[in-house]
Amino acid sequence: MARPPLPAAAPLAFLLLVLVLSAVAPAARCSTAGVGYVSRLLEIQDRERAPATVQLAAARGALRRLLPSRYSSFEFRIISKDECGGEICFVITNHPSFGRRGAPEILISGVTGVEVLAGLHWYLKYWCGSHISWDKTGGLQTHSMPKFGSLPRVHDAGVIVQRPIPWSYYQNAVSSSYSFAWWDWKRWEKEIDWMALQGINLPLAFTGQEAIWQKVFQQRFNISTSDLDDFFGGPAFLAWSRMGNLHGWGGPLPQSWLDQQLRLQKKILERMYELGMTPVLPAFSGNVPAALKDIFPSAKITRLGNWFSVESNPRWCCTYLLDATDPLFVEIGRAFIEQQLREYGRTGHIYNCDTFDENTPPIDEPAYISSLGAAIFEGMQSGDADAVWLMQGWLFSYDPFWRPPQMKALLHSVPLGKLVVLDLFAEVKPIWMTSEQFYGVPYIWKVSFLCMLHNFAGNIEMYGVLDAVASGPIEAYMSENSTMVGVGMSMEGIEQNPVVYDLMSEMAFQQRKVDVKTWIDLYSTRRYGQSVSSIKEAWNILHHTIYNCTDGLYDKNRDVIVAFPDADPSSISFSQLRYHRYGKPLFRRAVLNEKTGLTDEPHMWYSTSEVVRALELFLAGGDHLQSSDTYRYDLVDLTRQALAKFANELFLKVIEDYQRQDAYGVAFHSQKFLNLVEDMDTLLACHEGFLLGPWLESAKQLAQNKEQERQFEWNARTQITMWFDNSVEEASLLRDYGNKYWSGLLRDYYGPRAALYFKFLKESLAEGHDFRLKEWRREWVKLTNDWQNSRNLFPTQSVGHAFHTSQWLYDKYLRDPDTYDQ
């Protein structure tokens, strides 16, 4: 990969690019054994790709939406792999008319429309010092771009950047519910543009599949509309009804929803194909409506066990799974693939199916497991002769059932090159290392937020493992007998931690390890449009603290504010008291003496004092950066992060006061906690990336009538609070799984919930009786259910001044926490 030259007048920051792209590792090869295994599929996809004129038109449309004032500065061209040395690449050159008034200045060529837009992004990053992220995380920074007609030149020979491996994968099966549930075409178009700019060419495409299933089950297998109403989940819970975890919850789906989502899916697929992407379509996993067992009484259909329902409520739990070895499995699988082909008119031949994710086979005999895998694939191949099965590898990480014999039996049940595995937790617990490269089966290295500490369900938490991201894909790719065929990102929820995704998307084109210290210095300059020394120092701290979690724990955001403990305060004990260099408490963990309650305590892997220091440095750079939306987002997020950990400490002080029977201390510290929640809500209101209103309003905007509006809003509210069902005295087992640090949610729900708990604490001390846990639970559940059904409105636009609010809260809570506690 050629590195870009540097204009004589290039700012010093961009000299660092040479170091970023010139790590000491030798140049990587441009192929692996895995690429050879899938070469036939790659050839088919090349033949079936949209014509060059269509891809260019789609790429230019994205350019016009991204940079309307610079539209005429760039010319795009589709080239063959032969012009890239036989690989997939993009090429950046000076346009032959460079310097002529009004003429294009830069020519970007690529093998597909995706490569063209990835090349544009590369040029904007490393020649113009620009930055692109999701709108909610700050959006586009182009203030650093030179004026029209003065774009930086590249060297005369141009720059060629090759993909070392063919695929860049994106999404998680549950992203469709945690992030995309309420999207319209306008939002999807923006996301597809973002994908292409990041070089993503293998995205999941799961929207609208319920409409396909409706036609298959009704027309081919005599399933009624009422049976399907019970089968499908509601709009915010479709991901889990698709996986067979639940049924009916949040439903039924209106016919207007099914029709609208199918139309939307067709637009999504059309644009993805136009850009040269390969959308991954769903395949049949065995999940079937309950009525199918009555229509086919001899079929091997098993009722599954409870999945997190309170009291195993049959209204929602215990779905039905058709055994893959039953002939009906292949028949349904073929019908589903064929119906998709009829509706969409084409396919990229890659299908996702995860029959065994959270569903362990009943027998561990390798021969039986092999027969299951073969039958699942036959269901795909019978509908598409060129089908390739894409499977999540997460089951191999968490389920002890999958020992080497069982793992080999499943992976080898499909012809070589017809199964691709997603190494879902590769940046922390790479399975390829412990399984001899998945026993020779092609795989995709993924930076996955599926099981990472802070991004379950799109939880808002600063977190990352940047050093692993910068080196892991290269180590996997360069390893002996590598079967790696791609890299990918698989977060449960998007629009958070933009630094992680900026680096990870770049790894699709890197052939050497990246020097993260150098890269992150450049990142801060690109992200804010200028180099500020205090900001660089702050990001250096964040790199070594928040973005350097190496303990490998499976965890998620369990901060007390957003995941309030359901526990008798007398049962909470304190452990793992640690101190930083000043002798002040770094953090404490609370644990319980009983099974219920605070079982997932807040997880800490860094010094809070260092992060507060990073916040001080961010504030010091505010005079230069207050007008930057990317700066405002990061400032609010960093302030939120520091205050959230301070809130955990305040809560523990309340509990300590209670256990000492110090009524004054309980009253004092509980009020401080509630004040902090209110203040954090004010902080979060300062940026549109932290608002509850857009989530609720986007849900209601998809409704066709008042009844649907109420249903959709209930879905949206329930997902981020109780999540699943509850009884009068028992909260959902998935409560707070989808928690969010959103303005409106803190003030309207999290704060009142904490106040209710503190009320019971104070009553216990005042009246001399034990904490009334059942009464607390009953009132908390009622509070939550009332909130789920409420219809009050929340702002959809930010209010307040991010810098001034952050400075005020730093001075109030963090400059000297001990003073605040007096």
Side-chain angles (χ1 to χ4, degrees), residues 181-183 257 260-261 698-704 708 712:
W182 314 114
W183 283 8
W257 170 275
Q260 181 270 339
Q261 290 291 294
S698 61
K700 291 188 287 185
Q701 286 173 10
L702 293 183
Q704 300 294 309
Q708 290 181 18
F712 294 177

Side-chain angles (χ1 to χ4, degrees), residues 372-647:
L372 290 178
I376 291 169
F377 178 66
E378 186 182 352
M380 302 177 204
Q381 193 175 42
S382 62
D384 178 358
D386 297 316
V388 169
W389 177 6
L390 183 72
M391 180 182 73
Q392 293 186 107
W394 173 238
L395 69 164
F396 303 133
S397 178
Y398 80 89
D399 191 342
F401 173 91
W402 295 100
R403 302 179 301 280
Q406 290 72 29
M407 191 173 171
K408 288 179 183 178
L410 178 59
L411 295 176
H412 293 166
S413 66
V414 177
L416 189 61
K418 290 293 187 175
L419 173 65
V420 176
V421 182
L422 303 174
D423 196 354
L424 213 62
F425 203 26
E427 75 279 41
V428 173
K429 189 179 179 181
I431 301 300
W432 70 267
M433 285 186 174
T434 59
S435 64
E436 302 172 22
Q437 304 272 353
F438 286 96
Y439 303 110
V441 171
Y443 71 93
I444 294 177
W445 195 102
K446 299 176 68 181
V447 54
S448 165
F449 284 80
L450 172 61
C451 293
M452 289 290 241
L453 176 63
H454 300 299
N455 287 302
F456 281 76
N459 297 160
I460 297 174
E461 185 76 46
M462 295 179 71
Y463 170 81
V465 194
L466 292 182
D467 288 346
V469 170
S471 60
I474 307 303
E475 291 171 355
Y477 169 68
M478 292 295 293
S479 61
E480 187 176 1
N481 299 319
S482 176
T483 57
M484 181 178 173
V485 294
V487 297
M489 301 180 285
S490 184
M491 65 298 282
E492 281 197 347
I494 66 169
E495 297 172 325
Q496 36 75 25
N497 289 293
V499 64
V500 176
Y501 304 109
D502 193 298
L503 177 58
M504 187 60 220
S505 63
E506 191 171 301
M507 297 309 296
F509 298 97
Q510 291 285 7
Q511 298 188 26
R512 299 178 176 88
K513 294 181 181 180
V514 170
D515 181 332
V516 179
K517 170 61 173 67
T518 302
W519 185 92
I520 210 161
D521 278 347
L522 185 57
Y523 171 83
S524 66
T525 301
R526 290 191 295 104
R527 182 150 170 82
Y528 310 124
Q530 57 181 297
S531 178
V532 179
S533 59
S534 66
I535 298 295
K536 284 191 173 185
E537 186 179 350
W539 269 105
N540 186 54
I541 293 172
L542 295 178
H543 168 209
H544 293 292
T545 53
I546 284 175
Y547 291 110
N548 187 40
C549 182
T550 57
D551 59 20
L553 292 181
Y554 298 165
D555 210 340
K556 49 190 174 290
N557 187 340
R558 305 306 295 175
D559 286 338
V560 172
I561 289 177
V562 297
F564 204 83
D566 174 25
D568 186 321
S570 300
S571 69
I572 299 177
S573 62
F574 304 97
S575 65
Q576 290 190 256
L577 184 64
R578 299 185 183 179
Y579 296 87
H580 58 57
R581 59 186 177 181
Y582 299 115
K584 297 180 181 179
L586 172 61
F587 68 86
R588 291 170 288 185
R589 282 192 181 179
V591 297
L592 290 183
N593 296 325
E594 60 187 22
K595 292 184 179 179
T596 59
L598 189 63
T599 52
D600 287 331
E601 64 270 12
H603 169 220
M604 284 296 298
W605 67 99
Y606 61 85
S607 163
T608 54
S609 64
E610 288 189 72
V611 171
V612 170
R613 173 57 182 159
L615 176 57
E616 293 171 353
L617 292 166
F618 253 82
L619 289 167
D623 290 342
H624 304 282
L625 300 176
Q626 290 184 43
S627 63
S628 165
D629 195 38
T630 47
Y631 169 77
R632 289 194 298 271
Y633 174 87
D634 290 347
L635 178 63
V636 170
D637 202 21
L638 182 55
T639 308
R640 176 210 55 76
Q641 181 86 8
L643 291 174
K645 306 313 169 191
F646 181 68

